[in-house]
């Protein structure tokens, strides 16, 4: 938020330099992030002085140029070549001396230099008003008053305003400080705490009166909850024209482009007092009646920016008897706004429900100065005062008459907010005692009224403009910021407590597994839990669960909470592929959500994403593409690191994958992994295979807690490896062989490894060949050939009997 120092001084007469003021504002909680100088004319007309044209003759070598001698108050007059048709002897003119920097209309600087024009030297420039930046005319040079003395700086002639603008990083709760008057009010309180008593000057409205009652416009508010207070007044016989320089300078200094005197007056009061206003062209209000109401969903409405918008049934609108004219508190309509032909207006000042305004502004993607203030809450008791202030200002700069009584629809007066503040509560939060007299003085400077006082505390009445002060803790914060955080003593001793945490806390295990994945070439991603509802259409499985809807979404694309990590990962993959990064290994720890019977259910997941090649092109090794078995190995390493060994492996049921498997233990699915379905790849315009593993993190943590770590000595005796080549039915899986072998030999069988699979020629139809290595080892003695042969024979017989296997 930008605050003009000159504007601020209208309310509080202060002779401090801007840096002192900035330090005090920051101490008061209005953090000044920067101070920017402002000049009503860029460059401040430095180097431009009044000149007296002593002589003016035709240039000897040019028909359209004049050769002038100009007295600028120096030792000798300057010879200046001028091409203006209206330059003449005896004139007083603005002269830019050599070295002066002027600016074009686009803001580009150029320096006045000594030069030769058609053979004649020129030692400066006689300026037109557009060259100085104080007007738009370029028909000729400016002619100044004869009373001016040569050499007088033009910055004094034209009353150039120099200002300094504070850039304040305002916190969202400080709606009371969203104006120059609000900042001045805080500044006064801060100065009083420093024993500097300065009066706060309030803009006067005592001379407000109705000139006649020739233009009456009726107002009906259909929903008083959305518009608790609505004021308005009519004005006629107005003259729409540019605003006076002082008003334009005020608005320009804070980055607002002046439009015309009526619109500028409403903007001025908005930034002066913090109350948004809107002026309607009264001649365009059909039926001379204003109705504050909502419209049917789908109603078309064109705003001031020329964009047609479709209204929501909850948008509060300002309407006449036929049409909507304005989105209340957000943006005006194009057909009832002020134009050059406007002669009569209905001036609106109101208090609208903050939640309603915020929703309407978000729905339509609008963020205006008015909505910014209404959303955060304005002072409902300031509505009528601001209306009178704006009406008087318009009358001052646009003429005209006030042609109706003020309409003030305020059916339910807002109750005072009362808070009881216990003295011991202050001590507990602040950490030291603040004298009671100091507390009462600070509360008085903040216009917080003391209703009653006891030995234990104070009963307070909070002013209506402090919508953020609701609790005793809020009042203490106010006392503390005025008292000064820097005045609070702090101990040289630092105390800390050590928290007892479990080694199975999620963040610790996430760190272990995340480090393991990074060491294997993965990159962690963090994505938004808010996502698009369109992703649900890609999966029938997700549609069976109700999505958690956002009540006040930033946009349609971010209107639901994600039900799977897959789609946020696909967004990241598509983004990187489009930027020539096709080889990716990503992982994300994140939550998924779905609506339960009573409340939303939130579950933690770990998502793994692999696509492209496992390594880049190299002359050392052939390029190897990522595949399902690589992903499966990564998943198994994670489970092994946590001491988890799934009890079952089966085909994956779900429509997110074209093929895959699920790993389970004790009827609980731990991991789903496989190849992402083609229809999902097409949706994200991804033309290469993507592998995805969805690890149910909560289930993994529960199982990890149940595992008991056991230790055994490193075997002293050698292991033995034996291979079998088995002819099997095509439907037989390696897990069938693994489980059968473990059941058949539990004592000395240590490992089973499938190292070759063959399907093709020279095999019977419906058959395949597995080559398997069995690792045998006895922890207590060296294995004999007899023991080894017996074990292998038992395994072979089990395979033949249970699986119909044949030894090749």
């Amino acid at each position: 938020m930008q605050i003009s120092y000159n504007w601020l001084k209208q309310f509080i007469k202060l002779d401090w330099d801007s840096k002192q003021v900035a330090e005090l504002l920051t101490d008061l909680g209005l953090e000044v992030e920067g101070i920017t100088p402002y000049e009503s004319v860029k460059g401040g007309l430095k180097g431009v002085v009044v000149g007296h044209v002593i002589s003016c003759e035709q240039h000897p070598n040019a028909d359209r140029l004049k050769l002038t001698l100009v007295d600028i108050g120096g030792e000798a007059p300057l010879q200046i070549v001028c091409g203006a048709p209206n330059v003449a002897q005896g004139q007083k003119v603005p002269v830019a001396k050599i070295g002066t920097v002027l600016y074009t209309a686009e803001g580009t600087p150029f320096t006045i230099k000594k030069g030769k024009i058609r053979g004649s030297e020129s030692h400066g420039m006689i300026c037109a008003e557009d060259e100085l930046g104080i007007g738009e005319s370029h028909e000729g040079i400016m002619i100044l008053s004869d009373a001016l003395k040569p050499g007088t700086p033009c910055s004094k002639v034209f009353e150039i305003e120099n200002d300094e603008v504070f850039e304040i990083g305002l916190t969202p709760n400080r709606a009371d400080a969203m104006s120059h008057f609000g900042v001045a009010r805080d500044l006064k309180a801060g100065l009083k705490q420093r024993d500097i008593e300065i009066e706060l000057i309030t803009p006067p409205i005592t001379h407000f009166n109705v000139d006649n009652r020739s233009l009456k416009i009726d107002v009906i508010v259909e929903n008083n909850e959305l518009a608790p207070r609505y004021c308005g007044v009519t004005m006629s016989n107005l003259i729409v024209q540019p605003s006076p320089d002082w008003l334009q300078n005020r608005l320009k200094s804070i980055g607002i482009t002046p439009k015309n005197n009526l619109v500028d007056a409403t903007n001025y009061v908005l930034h002066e007092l913090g109350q948004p206003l809107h002026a309607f062209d009264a001649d365009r209000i059909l039926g001379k009646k204003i109705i504050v109401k909502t419209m049917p969903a789908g109603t078309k409405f064109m705003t001031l920016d020329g964009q047609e918008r479709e209204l929501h049934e909850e948008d509060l609108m300002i309407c006449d008897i036929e049409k909507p004219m304005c989105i209340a508190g957000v943006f005006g309509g194009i057909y009832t706004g002020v134009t050059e032909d406007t002669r009569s207006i209905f001036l609106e000042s109101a208090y609208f429900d903050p939640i309603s305004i915020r929703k309407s502004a978000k729905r339509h993607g609008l963020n205006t100065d008015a909505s910014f203030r209404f959303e955060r809450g304005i002072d409902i008791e300031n509505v009528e005062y601001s209306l009178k202030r704006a009406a008087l200002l318009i009358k001052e700069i646009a003429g005209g008459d006030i042609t109706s009584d003020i309409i003030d629809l305020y059916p339910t007066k807002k109750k005072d907010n009362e808070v009881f503040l216990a003295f011991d509560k202050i001590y507990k939060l602040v950490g030291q005692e603040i004298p009671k007299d100091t507390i009462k003085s600070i509360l008085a400077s903040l216009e917080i009224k003391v209703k009653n006082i006891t030995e234990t505390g104070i009963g307070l009445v909070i002013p209506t403009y402090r919508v953020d002060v609701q609790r005793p803790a809020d009042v203490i914060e106010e006392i503390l910021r005025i008292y000064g955080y820097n005045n609070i003593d702090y101990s040289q001793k630092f105390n800390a407590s050590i928290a007892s945490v479990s080694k199975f806390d999620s963040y610790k295990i996430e760190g272990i597994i995340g480090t393991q994945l990074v060491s294997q070439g993965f990159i962690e991603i963090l994505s938004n839990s808010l996502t698009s509802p369109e992703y649900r259409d890609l999966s029938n499985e997700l549609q069976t669960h109700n999505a958690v809807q956002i009540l006040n979404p930033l946009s349609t694309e971010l209107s639901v909470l994600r039900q799977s990590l897959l789609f946020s990962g696909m967004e990241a993959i598509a983004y990187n592929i489009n930027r020539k990064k096709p080889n990716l290994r990503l992982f994300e720890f994140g939550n998924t959500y779905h609506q339960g019977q009573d409340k939303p259910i939130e579950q933690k997941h770990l998502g793994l994403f692999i696509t492209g090649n496992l390594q880049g092109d190299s002359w050392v090794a052939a390029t190897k593409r990522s595949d399902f078995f690589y992903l499966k190995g990564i998943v198994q390493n994670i489970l092994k690191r946590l001491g988890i060994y799934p009890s079952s492996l089966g085909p994956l049921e779900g429509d997110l994958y074209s093929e895959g498997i699920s790993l389970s233990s004790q009827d609980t699915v731990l991991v789903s992994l496989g190849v992402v379905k083609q229809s999902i790849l097409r949706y994200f315009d991804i033309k290469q295979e993507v592998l995805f593993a969805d690890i149910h993190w909560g289930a993994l943590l529960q199982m990890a807690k149940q595992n008991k770590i056991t230790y055994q000595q490193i075997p002293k005796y050698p292991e033995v490896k034996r291979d079998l080549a088995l002819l099997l039915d095509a439907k037989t899986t390696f897990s069938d062989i693994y489980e059968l072998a473990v059941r058949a030999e539990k004592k000395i069988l240590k490992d089973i490894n499938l190292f070759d699979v063959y399907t093709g020629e020279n095999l019977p139809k419906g058959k395949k060949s597995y080559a398997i290595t069995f690792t045998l080892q006895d922890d207590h003695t060296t294995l004999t050939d007899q023991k080894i042969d017996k074990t292998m024979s038992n395994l072979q017989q089990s395979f033949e009997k249970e699986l119909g296997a044949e030894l090749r």
Side-chain angles (χ1 to χ4, degrees):
M1 183 182 71
Q2 293 182 317
I3 294 292
S4 157
Y5 193 19
N6 286 351
W7 199 342
L8 204 59
K9 289 177 182 177
Q10 292 179 201
F11 306 109
I12 188 165
K13 300 299 182 183
L14 190 62
D15 58 0
W16 285 13
D17 65 44
S18 59
K19 289 184 179 179
Q20 286 178 287
V21 175
E23 289 175 2
L24 178 54
L25 288 173
T26 300
D27 288 344
L28 293 171
L30 304 178
E31 182 183 1
V32 176
E33 298 174 341
I35 304 174
T36 306
Y38 167 78
E39 297 168 322
S40 57
V41 174
K42 194 167 184 179
L45 298 184
K46 294 174 183 176
V48 182
V49 298
V50 175
H52 178 214
V53 181
I54 299 173
S55 66
C56 179
E57 301 175 354
Q58 185 66 42
H59 193 290
N61 300 319
D63 295 338
R64 297 186 178 181
L65 298 179
K66 301 289 179 62
L67 204 58
T68 65
L69 279 178
V70 182
D71 176 16
I72 63 167
E75 294 180 357
L78 302 179
Q79 177 175 289
I80 299 176
V81 178
C82 180
N86 63 331
V87 64
Q89 181 179 352
Q91 293 173 338
K92 297 289 178 65
V93 295
V95 177
K97 298 186 291 185
I98 292 173
T100 300
V101 178
L102 299 178
Y103 295 84
T104 65
E106 294 76 24
T108 305
F110 65 94
T111 303
I112 304 301
K113 300 177 180 178
K114 176 183 176 181
K116 267 192 176 183
I117 302 175
R118 294 292 183 93
S120 298
E121 289 187 356
S122 183
H123 297 267
M125 182 171 80
I126 304 175
C127 302
E129 64 178 42
D130 66 328
E131 293 167 334
L132 296 177
I134 58 177
E136 298 179 358
S137 173
H138 194 70
E139 294 179 357
I141 58 169
M142 291 190 72
I143 310 299
L144 304 179
S145 169
D146 286 338
L148 294 173
K149 183 179 179 181
T152 303
C154 282
S155 58
K156 294 182 179 180
V157 175
F158 296 107
E159 298 182 354
I160 302 303
E161 178 164 346
N162 295 298
D163 197 356
E164 291 174 291
V165 180
F166 302 110
E167 182 65 40
I168 296 179
L170 199 65
T171 52
N173 63 306
R174 292 300 308 277
D176 63 294
M178 293 180 186
S179 65
H180 285 75
F181 186 77
V183 173
R185 186 167 48 202
D186 248 26
L187 203 53
K188 176 182 180 294
L191 289 168
K192 184 177 181 181
Q193 177 61 23
R194 288 153 180 79
D195 298 324
I196 302 174
E197 292 281 352
I198 294 183
E199 180 188 0
L200 182 64
I201 302 170
T202 304
I205 58 168
T206 52
H207 54 292
F208 177 90
N209 65 283
V210 179
D211 296 301
N212 59 69
R213 293 173 176 81
S214 59
L215 179 58
K216 181 183 179 184
I217 292 181
D218 296 321
V219 177
I220 298 173
V221 177
E222 293 188 356
N223 191 330
N224 289 314
E225 290 185 0
L226 299 183
R229 188 174 189 182
Y230 191 92
C231 292
V233 70
T234 64
M235 300 186 71
S236 302
N237 305 317
L238 302 170
I239 300 174
V240 179
Q241 59 189 1
S243 297
D245 290 342
W246 68 265
L247 197 156
Q248 291 196 38
N249 288 336
R250 287 286 181 265
L251 296 179
K252 287 178 181 178
S253 68
I254 58 172
I256 296 175
T257 303
K259 294 179 175 60
N260 58 59
N261 49 0
L262 300 188
V263 175
D264 292 348
T266 61
N267 283 332
Y268 181 87
V269 174
L270 166 69
H271 291 277
E272 179 186 51
L273 302 176
Q275 171 65 46
L277 303 109
H278 189 74
F280 298 91
D281 190 325
D283 294 330
R284 300 186 182 186
I285 301 175
L286 300 180
K288 298 299 182 232
K289 180 180 287 187
I290 282 179
I291 307 169
V292 184
K293 63 179 181 178
T294 56
M295 299 292 290
T299 302
K300 305 294 184 183
F301 177 67
M302 186 170 290
T303 45
L304 281 169
D305 56 1
Q307 182 175 341
E308 187 177 70
R309 303 177 188 275
E310 193 170 291
L311 299 180
H312 188 273
E313 66 268 16
E314 294 181 0
D315 290 335
L316 186 65
M317 303 298 296
I318 312 300
C319 310
D320 60 19
I321 62 172
E322 288 188 5
K323 64 183 182 301
M325 301 188 296
C326 175
I327 304 176
V330 181
F331 209 25
I334 197 169
Y335 298 115
T336 54
V338 171
T339 67
E340 293 180 356
D341 300 323
T342 297
R343 294 295 174 263
S344 301
I345 63 169
F346 177 82
L347 187 61
E348 167 198 275
S349 178
Y351 178 95
F352 298 117
D353 177 62
I355 296 175
S356 172
I357 299 302
R358 186 182 304 117
K359 288 183 176 181
S360 291
K362 295 296 182 185
R363 272 193 292 265
H364 297 291
L366 294 168
N367 182 22
T368 61
D369 284 335
S371 68
F372 182 79
R373 285 159 177 79
F374 278 125
E375 287 174 20
R376 287 155 178 80
I378 61 170
D379 181 8
I380 195 169
E381 299 300 333
N382 194 40
V383 170
E384 184 183 12
Y385 170 80
S386 299
L387 180 66
K388 290 181 177 180
R389 165 65 174 149
L392 291 172
L393 179 59
I394 289 173
K395 194 173 179 181
E396 176 187 338
I397 63 177
D401 303 311
I402 296 173
T403 50
S404 76
D405 293 312
I406 287 181
I407 299 168
D408 186 3
L409 302 182
Y410 191 14
T412 306
K413 186 172 176 62
K414 188 174 182 180
K415 294 181 180 179
D416 291 334
N417 179 29
E418 297 184 4
V419 174
F420 181 78
L421 179 62
F423 291 125
D424 63 342
K425 181 79 170 178
I426 301 174
Y427 175 75
K428 287 179 182 178
L429 286 183
V430 175
Q432 74 180 49
E433 287 192 11
I434 299 176
K436 292 182 181 180
D437 289 341
T438 301
I439 291 173
K440 288 189 284 186
S441 174
I442 290 173
L443 292 173
S445 70
L446 292 169
E447 300 180 9
I448 298 176
K449 297 178 182 177
V450 176
K451 187 175 183 181
N452 54 68
I453 185 167
T454 67
E455 291 184 1
T456 59
I458 315 179
L460 304 171
V461 179
I462 310 301
T464 53
Y465 62 80
R466 289 312 305 266
V467 295
D468 60 318
V469 179
Q470 302 291 328
R471 308 164 300 160
D474 299 329
V475 179
I476 294 171
E477 182 183 353
E478 291 301 297
I479 294 171
L480 187 55
R481 70 181 183 85
I482 301 300
Y483 182 73
Y485 291 98
N486 294 332
N487 294 325
I488 301 299
D489 297 330
Y490 58 91
S491 173
Q492 298 295 326
K493 181 181 178 182
F494 181 77
N495 297 322
S497 58
I498 300 175
S500 176
V501 295
S502 169
K503 66 178 181 179
F504 294 107
D505 278 0
S506 181
Y507 79 94
K508 286 190 173 184
I509 307 299
E510 287 176 30
I512 292 170
I513 299 304
T515 301
Q516 178 174 314
L517 288 170
V518 169
S519 69
Q520 293 175 309
F522 280 77
I523 297 173
E524 184 173 9
I525 61 173
L526 296 172
S527 55
N528 200 338
S529 294
L530 299 175
T531 189
S532 171
E534 293 182 3
Y535 294 155
R536 299 186 71 236
D537 299 333
L538 300 176
S539 168
N540 294 326
E541 180 183 349
L542 295 182
Q543 291 176 19
T544 61
H545 301 288
N546 292 327
V548 179
Q549 304 284 339
I550 303 300
L551 295 179
N552 186 25
L554 295 172
S555 65
T556 305
E557 292 76 19
L558 299 173
S559 60
V560 298
L561 289 170
R562 64 183 173 192
Q563 294 175 282
S564 170
L565 297 184
L566 173 62
F567 302 110
S568 53
M570 296 299 287
E571 290 174 352
I573 289 171
Y575 183 90
N576 280 276
I577 289 176
N578 291 337
R579 285 153 183 80
K580 307 301 181 184
K581 297 288 184 182
N583 305 322
L584 300 168
R585 278 173 280 182
L586 310 174
F587 74 96
E588 178 178 15
F589 289 99
N591 294 330
T592 63
Y593 310 83
H594 68 270
Q595 189 67 50
Q597 291 183 350
D598 301 323
K599 61 181 182 180
I601 298 174
E602 180 178 355
Q603 295 176 322
K604 189 101 176 186
H605 289 253
L606 168 59
L608 305 180
F609 305 87
I610 301 176
T611 187
N613 298 329
L614 292 178
Q615 61 185 33
D617 296 335
S618 172
W619 63 273
V620 177
T623 300
K624 182 180 180 181
R625 293 194 65 80
S626 55
D627 57 21
F628 171 81
F629 296 102
Y630 175 77
L631 176 61
K632 181 184 175 187
I634 296 293
V635 170
Q636 287 177 328
N637 284 338
I638 292 173
L639 298 178
K640 185 177 180 181
R641 179 66 181 83
L642 299 177
I644 298 172
Y645 298 91
S647 58
S648 63
L649 181 153
L652 187 61
E653 296 180 0
D655 58 356
L656 298 177
Y657 307 87
S658 58
E659 56 182 336
I661 61 172
S662 64
L663 305 177
S664 304
S665 180
Q666 302 173 4
D667 297 326
T668 300
V669 176
L670 301 177
V671 186
S672 302
L673 67 148
V675 180
V676 178
K677 199 164 62 171
Q678 280 295 321
S679 59
I680 296 176
L681 296 179
R682 284 195 297 271
Y683 181 88
F684 289 95
D685 196 25
I686 296 174
K687 297 178 175 61
Q688 61 190 55
E689 185 179 73
V690 176
L691 302 157
F692 172 59
D694 184 10
I695 300 175
H696 299 251
W697 190 250
L700 252 64
L701 288 183
Q702 290 301 319
M703 292 202 66
K705 292 177 183 179
Q706 297 171 8
N707 288 332
K708 293 184 178 180
I709 299 175
T710 58
Y711 301 89
Q712 63 183 25
Q713 291 185 348
I714 297 174
K716 298 179 181 179
Y717 303 99
E719 63 182 24
V720 177
K721 295 182 184 292
R722 291 289 187 268
D723 297 339
L724 288 181
L726 301 174
L727 187 66
L728 302 159
D729 290 337
K731 63 181 181 180
T732 302
T733 65
F734 175 68
S735 63
D736 296 332
I737 296 173
Y738 188 96
E739 292 173 6
L740 182 57
V742 171
R743 288 200 307 270
E745 179 53 64
K746 297 181 179 179
K747 292 184 178 181
I748 65 172
L749 182 60
K750 299 298 183 182
D751 190 26
I752 308 169
N753 181 50
L754 175 65
F755 66 88
D756 185 55
V757 178
Y758 177 72
T759 57
E761 298 179 359
N762 302 323
L763 291 181
K765 186 176 181 182
K767 297 289 184 178
K768 63 182 177 182
S769 174
Y770 275 3
I772 304 171
T773 295
F774 298 88
T775 302
L776 309 175
Q777 187 179 46
D778 194 320
D779 295 334
H780 306 291
T781 185
T782 301
L783 290 173
T784 63
D785 289 342
Q786 182 180 3
K787 182 81 176 276
I788 294 168
D789 292 341
K790 182 179 179 180
T791 300
M792 294 306 298
S793 177
N794 289 339
L795 289 173
Q796 180 180 339
Q797 290 174 15
S798 297
F799 297 149
E800 290 172 350
K801 180 179 179 181
E802 299 289 340
L803 303 176
E806 299 177 24
L807 192 64
R808 290 189 67 194

